[in-house]
Amino acid sequence: MDDTLSDKRDDRLNRRTVRRLDFILLPFLALLFLLNSLDKSNIGNAETAGFTDDAGLAPGDLNTSLAFFFAFFVALQPVGAALGRRYGMARWVPACMSLWGLCTICHIWVKRKWQLICLRIAIAGLEAGFYPTTVSYLSLFYTRYEFALRLGFFYGQSAVAGALGGVLSWGVFEHFPKTPISPEPPNAAVDLDLPDVDMTGIRQATTGGWKSWEVLFLLEGCTTMIVALIGFFWLPHSADTAWFLNERERVWAEERICLDRDEASPTVRPRRSSRAVSSNTDEDLGHGDSEALRQAPNSFEADDAEEEAHHGLLARTSTEQSARLRKLSTISAVSVTADSGLTRHDIAAAFLNYKIWHLLVCNILSAVPATAFGVFLPLVIKQLSPGLNFSPAQSNLLAAPPFAFGALVLWIFMYWSDRSRQRIVPLLYALGLLLIGLTATILSGRERYVVRYLSLCILLSGSFIASPLTVAWLTNNTPEPGKRAILLGINGWGNLAGVFSSLLFTPAQEEEGYVRPFLITLVCVVGAFAGYIAFWLLLIRENKWRDNVTAAWTEDEREREDVFGDMPVPHLALSSKLLSGLGLGAVSNRLGAGGGRRGDEKLTFRYSL
């Protein structure tokens, strides 16, 4: 009976803790991503109101600036993710947001092509790493199969941003003229014989003098800056410092993450406290706690050594045991949900992980529709049919429903993914839905514009799912937070799709209704579908190989691999000797071939599908 009451109390505590995370932390992070998505896509909305025309730019300059934006945005993804993990999301992201909000406002004064390109490059550098840093931060607070639904709510803001951006643009464009109206003097007949004066500043000071796209940039830029400043005070550095949790909830928020990590590996020893055994060594680049760690009490090390000796795991002296523990399992005083901390091993292991490169190719191909329509959908709808002749306000308003469908279907798929504890199967169904929408859009033609518009709704419904499910798979299968952040940064190179999109959906394709870009996008999605099936088969083969290797091991040997990751494996030993013979011993160690494997590198770890 006592156990039943205790379980009920624990269940209530867990529900209360998760509810506070869901209603206080998650919505604010989602708001940050919403503003991030708006700031990326608002230039497409502004263009429907004549941004390049009014600024004295050529129509192709917009595509050039977008190509530069995505080139820098993509290239700096791992750098941004590393800096975000190094300094902590709670400080890094609000600081960057404040600056890119200012850059958004500066679009009002663009008069030259180089000015637009410089602004887009500056925003790209500040936004690079935002998504992997924020997602990595979010994953610290939720267990593996709570995460996808929350990630869906978070990532769904990119679709919500498309819908909100369309409605917001419609509201702005309806209430502000495309071209400012110069106020007439009170008495036109009176000639005061004044010298010629540039009235631009005077016209801009009046409500009627603002161009609609100028109001859009000003409104969105100021909102971003205000919310970013609130973020400095709102976001906790860890569950230990969460102002919205009480003491019991803070302890449980830590403990439940530890228990979830233990569940991911079937033979991991149970933990004795909510403080985690950190994999960070003296190479820690994050908190600078190495000196404090050296001075920490050794009681945990002694307990671990005694326990392992009891199980017959070690055949070394107690001195060797202590040294080994200090090397691989330094007890950290830092919370397991801390938003900063990075080692050189994290960086090397991430870049030498072959799975991330396979996923990256798939992610680039599958992300072309989402990145393309996130910017160009209002322009595509404007060219839906030559006879419709939509105004800028109407084009942006009609862009809202497809994005709303995208957000709704995304949340349904992410809920399904968490409930079924699968990532790849829902992802393949989503790509199938995307292929149906693309095919219908191409076949409908510009004559049947109603059918084509409905096809765009189906297309957008499947566009936003593959990327967050890929991220969910990575977070589920990367126990170490530092390595996870870098992997998400590398996966951020999937935004190369944005570069391709800006080269595909050019002004030259407008007259034909963007038929050629749609066809190329279809080929990309088919390639992504095949790539994800290959990745699924690769994981099954990897798990089977690990089963075969560990099948002959004793329970003690499996537990040793869990703790140290140094059980001898002929295949890995051969790789280690080969790399060492080539003078690449350091690379061998980073790969885990020479022992000391960590996280998912351990052969007792099984990849989820």
Side-chain angles (χ1 to χ4, degrees):
M1 187 66 178
D2 289 342
D3 289 342
T4 304
L5 289 174
S6 178
D7 289 343
K8 287 182 178 178
R9 280 196 298 270
D10 289 346
D11 190 47
R12 283 199 300 270
L13 176 62
N14 186 65
R15 284 202 306 269
R16 190 169 67 245
T17 303
V18 174
R19 188 164 56 245
R20 293 197 178 187
L21 291 171
D22 285 345
F23 284 94
I24 298 176
L25 180 65
L26 178 61
F28 191 81
L29 292 175
L31 176 61
L32 297 184
F33 191 52
L34 174 64
L35 294 173
N36 173 256
S37 300
L38 280 173
D39 287 337
K40 278 208 288 283
S41 63
N42 56 18
I43 195 166
N45 299 117
E47 178 60 10
T48 63
F51 165 57
T52 53
D53 244 0
D54 293 340
L57 305 174
D61 292 345
L62 176 67
N63 292 77
T64 304
S65 70
L66 287 174
F68 272 99
F69 170 86
F70 280 110
F72 280 84
F73 181 68
V74 169
L76 296 174
Q77 284 288 314
V79 177
L83 290 172
R85 180 68 195 174
R86 166 69 175 83
Y87 293 107
M89 185 272 183
R91 282 178 293 187
W92 177 256
V93 168
C96 289
M97 284 190 73
S98 301
L99 293 174
W100 89 53
L102 181 61
C103 290
T104 298
I105 296 172
C106 288
H107 280 74
I108 293 172
W109 293 283
V110 166
K111 296 298 177 188
R112 299 284 185 275
K113 178 180 177 179
W114 67 266
Q115 294 172 337
L116 179 61
I117 291 173
C118 287
L119 272 180
R120 299 313 291 179
I121 289 174
I123 293 176
L126 292 165
E127 291 188 352
F130 169 84
Y131 181 71
T133 300
T134 313
V135 169
S136 177
Y137 176 79
L138 182 65
S139 71
L140 296 173
F141 295 92
Y142 288 101
T143 59
R144 287 171 301 148
Y145 295 109
E146 293 171 344
F147 180 66
L149 183 60
R150 276 76 184 182
L151 179 62
F153 180 77
F154 175 81
Y155 186 80
Q157 302 311 305
S158 58
V160 173
L164 180 61
V167 174
L168 182 63
S169 300
W170 169 77
V172 170
F173 297 167
E174 279 288 297
H175 290 84
F176 288 86
K178 181 178 181 296
T179 304
I181 303 168
S182 302
E184 292 294 330
N187 188 348
V190 178
D191 185 3
L192 299 178
D193 197 23
L194 294 174
D196 290 339
V197 178
D198 184 1
M199 299 292 291
T200 303
I202 299 173
R203 287 197 304 268
Q204 299 292 1
T206 66
T207 304
W210 283 95
K211 298 184 182 72
S212 51
W213 55 266
E214 290 176 330
V215 176
L216 188 68
F217 282 131
L218 182 65
L219 183 62
E220 293 185 4
C222 288
T223 305
T224 297
M225 294 179 71
I226 292 168
V227 173
L229 293 175
I230 295 172
F232 282 110
F233 306 98
W234 193 276
L235 298 170
H237 289 283
S238 67
D240 276 352
T241 60
W243 57 269
F244 49 84
L245 299 177
N246 62 35
E247 188 58 37
R248 286 188 65 208
E249 290 163 351
R250 289 172 189 162
V251 172
W252 176 243
E254 298 267 323
E255 186 66 29
R256 65 194 219 98
I257 300 302
C258 293
L259 293 171
D260 184 61
R261 290 181 187 177
D262 291 348
E263 186 185 340
S265 185
T267 56
V268 169
R269 296 166 299 156
R271 301 179 188 268
R272 285 185 290 276
S273 77
S274 64
R275 295 295 185 187
V277 178
S278 171
S279 63
N280 293 350
T281 66
D282 286 349
E283 297 174 354
D284 195 332
L285 304 177
H287 280 283
D289 294 320
S290 57
E291 185 60 34
L293 296 178
R294 292 190 203 100
Q295 296 172 359
N298 293 321
S299 57
F300 286 103
E301 293 182 8
D303 289 345
D304 285 345
E306 182 180 348
E307 182 180 340
E308 285 152 5
H310 175 73
H311 285 289
L313 289 177
L314 302 178
R316 302 184 180 93
T317 64
S318 59
T319 304
E320 291 172 323
Q321 292 167 352
S322 298
R324 185 68 167 163
L325 281 165
R326 280 194 298 271
K327 182 178 179 183
L328 292 179
S329 301
T330 303
I331 302 298
S332 174
V334 179
S335 160
V336 294
T337 58
D339 69 340
S340 59
L342 188 68
T343 67
R344 294 184 181 91
H345 182 277
D346 291 332
I347 298 171
F351 276 95
L352 294 171
N353 185 335
Y354 72 92
K355 295 179 186 66
I356 189 61
W357 303 109
H358 185 125
L359 280 177
L360 178 59
V361 174
C362 297
N363 194 26
I364 291 172
L365 294 174
S366 66
V368 170
T371 55
F373 296 113
V375 175
F376 295 107
L377 185 62
L379 298 176
V380 172
I381 289 177
K382 192 175 182 181
Q383 300 298 322
L384 200 61
S385 176
L388 294 175
N389 195 26
F390 288 133
S391 68
Q394 291 170 329
S395 299
N396 283 280
L397 184 62
L398 284 170
F403 282 116
F405 273 110
L408 178 62
V409 174
L410 170 63
W411 295 333
I412 292 171
F413 269 76
M414 300 306 270
Y415 177 76
W416 170 31
S417 177
D418 266 352
R419 287 297 298 270
S420 65
R421 299 197 165 199
Q422 298 180 95
R423 303 301 186 211
I424 299 177
V425 170
L427 190 154
L428 292 173
Y429 273 97
L431 289 178
L433 182 63
L434 176 54
L435 285 171
I436 292 171
L438 271 169
T439 305
T441 302
I442 294 168
L443 295 178
S444 60
R446 301 178 73 184
E447 298 78 17
R448 293 177 290 177
Y449 55 83
V450 174
V451 176
R452 193 171 209 199
Y453 181 75
L454 293 175
S455 300
L456 285 171
C457 291
I458 297 173
L459 192 163
L460 267 292
S461 296
S463 293
F464 297 98
I465 300 168
S467 183
L469 279 178
T470 301
V471 167
W473 186 91
L474 284 169
T475 57
N476 281 177
N477 291 279
T478 314
E480 294 180 285
K483 179 181 176 181
R484 186 190 312 155
I486 303 302
L487 284 175
L488 293 176
I490 297 172
N491 186 62
W493 279 338
N495 286 287
L496 271 169
V499 179
F500 302 148
S501 300
S502 63
L503 298 175
L504 284 174
F505 290 82
T506 62
Q509 300 295 326
E510 284 186 21
E511 294 303 319
E512 298 177 2
Y514 297 103
V515 174
R516 183 169 171 270
F518 277 123
L519 285 170
I520 295 174
T521 302
L522 178 65
V523 172
C524 290
V525 176
V526 169
F529 190 88
Y532 278 112
I533 289 177
F535 185 72
W536 190 19
L537 297 174
L538 180 70
L539 292 178
I540 293 172
R541 182 183 177 187
E542 174 77 11
N543 285 340
K544 186 176 180 180
W545 177 78
R546 294 187 179 199
D547 286 338
N548 292 336
V549 170
T550 58
W553 290 0
T554 65
E555 192 63 31
D556 287 345
E557 287 171 330
R558 289 194 187 93
E559 191 170 349
R560 174 167 185 149
E561 178 70 9
D562 265 334
V563 178
F564 297 136
D566 65 350
M567 280 297 295
V569 180
H571 172 71
L572 295 178
L574 180 63
S575 300
S576 178
K577 288 179 181 177
L578 179 63
L579 290 170
S580 298
L582 295 172
L584 300 174
V587 174
S588 170
N589 291 333
R590 301 301 186 196
L591 284 167
R597 293 176 289 272
R598 304 182 190 180
D600 62 307
E601 300 161 6
K602 295 176 181 178
L603 299 188
T604 48
F605 186 92
R606 296 295 178 272
Y607 291 105
S608 63
L609 302 177

